[in-house]
């Protein structure tokens, strides 16, 4: 019995080794592919950006399309952004009241709310909500134009699709994001104050007065205008994903999903750098 | 609503929010008010930050514009302050800047005190005085020192209490003298007995003193010694001041009899009276009873020992009074004596002083009786005092 067992094991061993080798090479291969794919993606993104910038700075400018996109990105996102900002204001208000009360620092409530909303929550929530709504919209729109060869048609009629489609959308995102952030901040502060005021009386004037005590422009303007970078990321990635789509309806869906996922991810990663940058440049 | 109008409304609303935010923060930083700048210097700004509030009289009136480290060691940190123009009338050259903390762990802010009304106004860019900030660590160190010394004090007190405790325990147990006194009935009885014995001894001593006094009195009248007293003119020094007044009564005398001492006394240092007849005129006047009070005033000469002269003048006044009282009938309580002692500006012939009997009208005030000098005549009252204390116990 032991004899048979040994021979069987001896017979299997080289097979197992061979299997291990194939698996290892497959893993290495897929890792290499992934990394090269990542670099390829970044390379294409760079080329795409270069084409968009070159198209954007040379006339003629597509004013009508720009205004349409400003409306699409800005005005039409306002209800969503305002709602998200209001919700965040209430959430911070409830949390701050509880945790500040534990430290006996209730008088710090207005300042806590103002700083949380203006510096952190307002910009990031606006960025994520817009990346969801606008990023998906742009990605899907451009992808469907691509798969139905509309972009080729535009190109054939001697109109630069980068200028007409990409540059206007990216610019609209860059311009509208800070304004949407301001709207989110205002809604967040108001609902935050309201949530506090229905529990214990606090006049709005007193709230603003003590909330902004010691506030500086460096606490207000850089966090608000850094969202222009968010807008740039959302617009760029959504347009890029949309315009490089291949395949039919499946490709459109993939483009929309990738736009949102990648835009949100890069937006948060960019925030890490931006916060550090703001702290260094605007002490 | 058209697309453009919707976009315009959106941009308008959000830019209004931006403007509101800028305005709120800007008004905190005094960007839209006319301001002036002051500087002040600290060794240590204790965490004061740029943009921190500046309060004048507790009212937020400006911001910290900048904080600059010195260029060399030994110099101070310069704090530049933007202040609202309205504070220009309050802040003077002697205003003092200090760094304060909101609550215990709150933000740092700069407080500027009001200036004095007499001081000169500050100009843009002036440096005002500062007060070093109270640092929490320093405060804690001081508190810690206080706690240390309190601890030592409490330890001492505890030790003292322990000692006291042991002493009380010993007393309670009857150890030591105090313990014996408190706990030992025999000792107490002993002490009581000694006290009563002491009391008896005192009474006997008193009797002895009285006897001795009487013996002395008898001795004065003994023929061997009586010559001395006769020459002196009087027996008992203690009686010299019995009828002496402190001063003359106020008001003018109705009649004054003046006698030269030479005429009345046989020698310069004696109070033995001679020539008594010459006193008869005053004696007759007193006997008529037409007076309120009469005083025998004797002044001493301008030479001799002050103490002896005082005694001599008092003695002469007493001797004259005794003669008048013995030989003429009137109310002797109205005749007083007054010895003036040594008189440097003695007016009489030979510098022996004068003798006057001054008669004051009815209704004149009676001056208080002179208190006997401590060394001479406390004998009688002292005796009485001792007897009183023995018989009556507590007197008050």
């Amino acid at each position: 019995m032991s004899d048979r067992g040994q021979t069987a094991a001896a017979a299997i061993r080289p097979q197992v080794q061979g299997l291990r080798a194939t698996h290892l090479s497959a893993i290495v291969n897929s890792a290499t592919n992934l990394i090269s794919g990542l670099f390829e993606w970044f390379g294409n993104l760079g080329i795409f950006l270069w084409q968009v910038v070159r198209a954007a700075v040379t006339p003629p400018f597509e004013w009508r399309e720009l205004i349409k996109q400003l409306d699409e990105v800005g005005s039409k996102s306002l209800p969503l952004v305002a709602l998200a900002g209001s919700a965040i204001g209430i959430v911070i208000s409830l949390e701050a009241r509880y945790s500040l009360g534990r430290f006996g620092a209730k008088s710090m409530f207005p300042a806590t709310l103002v700083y949380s909303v203006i510096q952190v929550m307002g910009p990031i929530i606006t960025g994520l909500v817009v990346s969801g709504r606008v990023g998906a919209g742009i990605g899907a729109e451009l992808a469907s134009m691509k798969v139905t060869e509309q972009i080729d048609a535009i190109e054939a009629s001697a109109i630069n699709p980068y200028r007409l489609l990409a540059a206007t959308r990216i610019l609209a995102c860059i311009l509208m994001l800070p304004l949407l952030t301001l709207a989110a901040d205002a809604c967040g502060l108001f609902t935050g104050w309201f949530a506090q005021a229905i529990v214990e009386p606090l006049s709005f004037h007193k709230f603003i007065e003590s909330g902004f005590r010691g506030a500086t422009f460096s606490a207000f303007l850089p966090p608000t205008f850094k969202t222009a970078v968010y807008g740039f990321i959302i617009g760029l990635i959504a347009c890029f994903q949309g315009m490089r789509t291949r395949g039919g309806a499946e490709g459109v869906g993939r483009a929309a999903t990738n736009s949102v996922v990648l835009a949100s991810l890069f937006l948060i990663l960019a925030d890490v750098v931006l916060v550090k940058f703001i702290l260094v440049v605007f002490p | 609503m058209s697309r453009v109008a919707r976009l315009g409304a959106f941009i308008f609303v959000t830019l209004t929010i931006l403007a509101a935010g800028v305005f709120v923060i800007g008004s905190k930083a005094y960007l839209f008010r006319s301001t002036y700048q002051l500087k002040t210097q600290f060794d240590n700004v204790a965490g004061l930050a740029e943009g921190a509030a500046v309060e004048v009289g507790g009212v937020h009136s400006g911001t910290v514009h900048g904080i600059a480290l010195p260029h060399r060691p030994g110099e101070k940190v310069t704090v530049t302050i933007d202040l609202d123009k309205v504070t220009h009338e309050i802040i003077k050259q002697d205003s003092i800047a200090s760094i304060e903390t909101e609550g215990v762990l709150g933000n740092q802010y700069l407080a500027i005190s009001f200036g004095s009304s007499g001081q000169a106004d500050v100009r843009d860019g002036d440096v005002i005085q500062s007060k070093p900030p109270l640092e929490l660590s320093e405060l804690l160190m001081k508190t810690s020192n206080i706690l240390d010394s309190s601890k030592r004090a409490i330890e001492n007190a505890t030790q003292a209490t322990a000692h006291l405790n042991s002493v009380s325990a010993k007393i309670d147990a009857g150890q030591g003298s105090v313990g014996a006194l408190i706990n030992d009935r025999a000792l107490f009885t002993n002490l009581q007995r000694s006290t009563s014995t002491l009391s008896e001894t005192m009474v006997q001593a008193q009797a002895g003193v009285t006897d001795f006094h009487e013996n002395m009195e008898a001795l004065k009248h003994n023929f061997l010694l009586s010559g001395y007293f006769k020459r002196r003119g009087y027996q008992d020094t203690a009686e010299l001041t019995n009828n002496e007044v402190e001063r003359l009564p106020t008001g003018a005398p109705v009649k004054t009899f003046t006698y030269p001492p030479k005429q009345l006394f046989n020698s310069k240092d004696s109070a033995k009276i001679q020539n008594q007849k010459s006193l008869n005129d005053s004696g007759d006047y007193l006997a008529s009873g037409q007076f309120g009070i009469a005083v025998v005033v004797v002044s001493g000469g301008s030479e001799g020992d002050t103490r002896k002269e005082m005694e001599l003048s008092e003695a002469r006044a007493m001797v004259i009074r005794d003669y008048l009282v013995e030989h003429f009938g009137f109310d002797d309580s109205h005749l007083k004596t007054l010895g003036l002692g040594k008189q440097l500006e003695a007016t009489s012939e030979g510098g022996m002083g004068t003798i006057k009997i001054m008669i004051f009208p009815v209704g004149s005030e009676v001056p208080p009786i002179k208190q006997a000098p401590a060394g001479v005549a406390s004998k009688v009252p002292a005796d009485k005092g001792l007897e009183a204390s023995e018989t009556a116990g507590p007197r008050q």
Side-chain angles (χ1 to χ4, degrees), chain A residues 67-68 70-72 74-76 78 176 179-180 182-183 186 208-210 212-217 220-221 224-225, chain B residues 3-4 6-8 10-11 14-15 17-18 21-26 28-29 31-32 50-51 53 60 102 107:
Chain A
I67 286 172
K68 179 176 171 248
L70 287 175
D71 178 57
E72 203 65 41
S75 324
K76 287 186 177 171
L78 181 63
M176 287 299 109
L179 299 185
L180 288 169
L182 287 166
I208 291 296
E209 180 70 23
S210 65
F212 281 89
R213 176 179 296 159
T216 51
F217 285 130
F220 174 49
L221 297 183
T224 304
F225 286 99
Chain B
R3 173 170 287 167
V4 179
R6 193 167 56 197
L7 181 63
F10 167 70
I11 291 174
T14 51
L15 286 183
I17 295 170
L18 178 70
V22 167
F23 186 77
V24 167
I25 294 173
K28 296 283 171 199
L31 282 187
F32 309 115
E50 286 181 15
H60 184 203
E102 291 172 353
N107 293 328

